Amino acid sequence: MFSSRNLHFAVLGIILGASSGYVFAFYRAHSSQPPPPLTETQTQSEVPSGHPDVNNEQMLAAMRKAVEADPTHPEVVKRYALALFEASQFEEAGKWFAKAVELNPRNVDTRSMYGAVLWRLGDKQGAAVQLQETLKLDPRNVPSLH
């Protein structure tokens, strides 16, 4: 019962248990601490000094020009639609996401966002179609599953 082999395993178990408990406690304590406060330079905007102020309308106008210059480029159309979505212009975003899906029907991100826009607009059936098509392309697409 108290052979040297059993004592060695008991001591080894105590050491491993204490070590794993220490590591677990360290990571748990570390993750519960708030991040350090930002310095003054970190809180400043990442825009270089002298950069002109650009509002949403100016940005959307510039992006619209890019889309009008090449309306067959699915990535440009998708980015414009996403900017419209972020500016809460859901009706217009829906039109452009539809165009982006038409240009590249296998892009799961575009289809998923199109489904989200349709859902916001109250078209639950249209949203379900887009999200189901997305899941056919990628069954693990988290935004579509959500």
Side-chain angles (χ1 to χ4, degrees):
M1 178 161 168
F2 289 111
S3 70
S4 66
R5 184 175 182 187
N6 288 346
L7 288 174
H8 283 109
F9 279 121
V11 170
L12 181 63
I14 291 171
I15 292 171
L16 289 176
S19 299
S20 62
Y22 174 78
V23 170
F24 176 75
F26 173 80
Y27 281 109
R28 184 149 186 165
H30 183 69
S31 67
S32 68
Q33 291 180 348
L38 298 175
T39 64
E40 186 176 327
T41 57
Q42 290 173 327
T43 58
Q44 293 176 352
S45 156
E46 294 183 22
V47 177
S49 62
H51 189 279
D53 288 333
V54 179
N55 62 27
N56 276 348
E57 294 306 317
Q58 292 171 324
M59 180 195 64
L60 289 173
M63 292 182 81
R64 184 171 188 91
K65 283 182 184 176
V67 167
E68 289 170 349
D70 187 8
T72 61
H73 194 279
E75 187 63 27
V76 173
V77 173
K78 178 181 91 170
R79 287 183 186 196
Y80 179 57
L82 189 57
L84 288 166
F85 179 81
E86 290 174 355
S88 299
Q89 296 182 16
F90 303 119
E91 291 282 337
E92 189 72 13
K95 294 174 189 173
W96 287 100
F97 273 120
K99 174 79 172 166
V101 167
E102 180 184 313
L103 292 171
N104 188 1
R106 299 197 52 82
N107 187 310
V108 293
D109 295 330
T110 304
R111 270 197 189 273
S112 181
M113 282 304 299
Y114 185 37
V117 169
L118 292 174
W119 184 269
R120 280 264 173 121
L121 292 173
D123 183 4
K124 310 273 190 251
Q125 287 295 97
V129 168
Q130 292 303 319
L131 296 173
Q132 287 171 353
E133 287 298 316
T134 302
L135 292 174
K136 285 179 185 174
L137 296 170
D138 180 10
R140 294 182 181 176
N141 184 272
V142 173
S144 296
L145 289 169
H146 178 68

